[in-house]
Amino acid sequence: VQLQASGGGQVQAGGSLRLSCAASGRIFTINALGWYRQAPGKERELVARITSGGATSYGDSVNGRFTISRGVPKNTAYLQMNNVKPEDTAVYYCHADQLGYYNDRGDPINARDYWGQGAQVTVSS
């Protein structure tokens, strides 16, 4: 099972960026996909989250600027980042909540928290 993040990079303040998170493997369920971020010297924080039913939640600092959506297939999530600010600079981590998958032996496994690799986002002023 893998959470593949893509779309990070450098952007100027006021610009836009789109991140993608694709979950692959022998997955049979994902309760929610989301993004967290961590800036140097700061704790990891929620950016946005979307459930299998389409319910969304956002961190206060990005609400109104960022939009999370599910793709087709639903094991993909997108984070549209608009009007970015220098304080949005961080490593963005894709996260799956309650990810159910089959291991190599075919046993069902339920991972409460499953993390992908980070994607660096740098916003210049």
Side-chain angles (χ1 to χ4, degrees):
V1 175
Q2 189 176 22
L3 294 181
Q4 182 68 43
S6 60
Q10 292 188 337
V11 62
Q12 287 192 330
S16 298
L17 204 63
R18 191 190 195 208
L19 302 182
S20 299
C21 174
S24 62
R26 301 173 68 188
I27 297 168
F28 56 84
T29 187
I30 300 177
N31 178 55
L33 281 173
W35 292 93
Y36 288 73
R37 69 185 183 187
Q38 188 166 20
K42 295 188 177 181
E43 293 186 353
R44 191 171 295 190
E45 63 175 358
L46 171 70
V47 177
R49 179 177 179 269
I50 185 167
T51 70
S52 58
T56 58
S57 56
Y58 296 91
D60 290 341
S61 61
V62 307
N63 200 13
R65 298 187 297 120
F66 292 6
T67 303
I68 190 169
S69 60
R70 293 291 284 263
V72 178
K74 288 190 175 181
N75 288 352
T76 303
Y78 303 101
L79 183 68
Q80 180 65 41
M81 306 166 60
N82 295 330
N83 189 24
V84 295
K85 304 176 180 180
E87 50 264 42
D88 294 322
T89 295
V91 178
Y92 285 69
Y93 294 93
C94 181
H95 174 263
D97 176 25
Q98 300 292 349
L99 187 154
Y101 66 96
Y102 296 103
N103 65 11
D104 292 343
R105 297 191 311 176
D107 301 322
I109 304 295
N110 189 11
R112 182 176 180 178
D113 292 292
Y114 206 96
W115 294 93
Q117 87 282 12
Q120 176 68 48
V121 172
T122 303
V123 182
S124 57
S125 57

